[in-house]
């Protein structure tokens, strides 16, 4: 079941190597993101305790949401506006993603250039997703 939510502009840092969430990746994922920032920029970065999967043009990368940041390779700006959102599990993620993109096209006339799949921790060592597809301002 999709719903629309309005999000502010968000800045994310894409992982330079991680593409899919695994227990090992999520256990201490922020250390990965701090580790990929140049040493002289580390003190200019801080991250929300929030990770996800960003997909665009066949490329998929894990990301962290920036609270503070400096210009560096891998930053992406998610535009503020309306997102069509749907919750799902790992097992239903691909299907939910396809259905949400299709709904964005048919119901909102959007042509999504990217998708976001926020990781929602549901318990110890367990997580689900919130698929987010941008449909406009």
């Amino acid at each position: 079941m999709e719903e629309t939510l309005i999000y502010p502009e968000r800045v994310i840092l894409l992982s330079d190597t991680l593409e899919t969430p695994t227990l090992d990746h999520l256990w201490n994922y922020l250390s990965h993101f701090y580790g990929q920032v140049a040493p002289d920029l580390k003190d200019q970065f801080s991250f929300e305790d929030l990770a996800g999967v960003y997909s665009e043009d066949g490329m998929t990368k894990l990301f962290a949401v920036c609270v503070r940041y400096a210009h560096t390779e891998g930053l992406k700006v998610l535009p503020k506006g309306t997102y069509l959102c749907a919750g799902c599990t790992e097992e239903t993620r691909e299907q939910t993603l396809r259905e949400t993109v299709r709904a964005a096209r048919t119901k909102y006339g959007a042509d999504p250039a990217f998708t976001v799949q926020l990781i929602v921790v549901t318990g110890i060592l367990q997580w689900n997703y919130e698929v987010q597809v941008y449909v406009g301002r």
Side-chain angles (χ1 to χ4, degrees):
M1 177 87 182
E2 298 116 7
E3 64 177 326
T4 56
L5 296 171
I6 297 173
Y7 283 99
E9 179 179 278
R10 297 170 283 172
V11 176
I12 62 174
L13 179 61
L14 300 179
S15 171
D16 53 0
T17 59
L18 305 178
E19 298 178 0
T20 57
T22 65
L23 186 55
D24 286 341
H25 296 159
L26 295 178
W27 181 252
N28 193 12
Y29 72 96
L30 289 180
S31 67
H32 167 79
F33 289 97
Y34 282 113
Q36 86 177 42
V37 173
D40 59 324
L41 296 178
K42 278 190 183 10
D43 64 344
Q44 297 178 51
F45 274 82
S46 65
F47 300 99
E48 286 188 42
D49 190 13
L50 191 61
V53 178
Y54 177 89
S55 299
E56 179 179 19
D57 294 330
M59 178 265 315
T60 299
K61 297 281 185 181
L62 285 183
F63 69 82
V65 178
C66 299
V67 175
R68 289 185 312 119
Y69 58 92
H71 182 70
T72 191
E73 186 76 24
L75 284 181
K76 282 275 185 187
V77 176
L78 303 179
K80 70 178 178 179
T82 304
Y83 287 76
L84 189 59
C85 302
C88 61
T89 64
E90 179 66 46
E91 294 75 29
T92 62
R93 181 164 61 118
E94 288 301 319
Q95 177 184 348
T96 302
L97 186 57
R98 282 192 306 275
E99 290 171 357
T100 307
V101 168
R102 185 172 38 249
R105 288 184 173 128
T106 58
K107 293 179 184 175
Y108 296 90
D111 186 19
F114 66 91
T115 62
V116 172
Q117 300 151 62
L118 283 183
I119 296 167
V120 180
V121 176
T122 58
I124 297 174
L125 312 179
Q126 299 174 359
W127 64 89
N128 287 331
Y129 298 89
E130 179 182 270
V131 170
Q132 299 178 357
V133 177
Y134 181 69
V135 294
R137 294 195 177 267

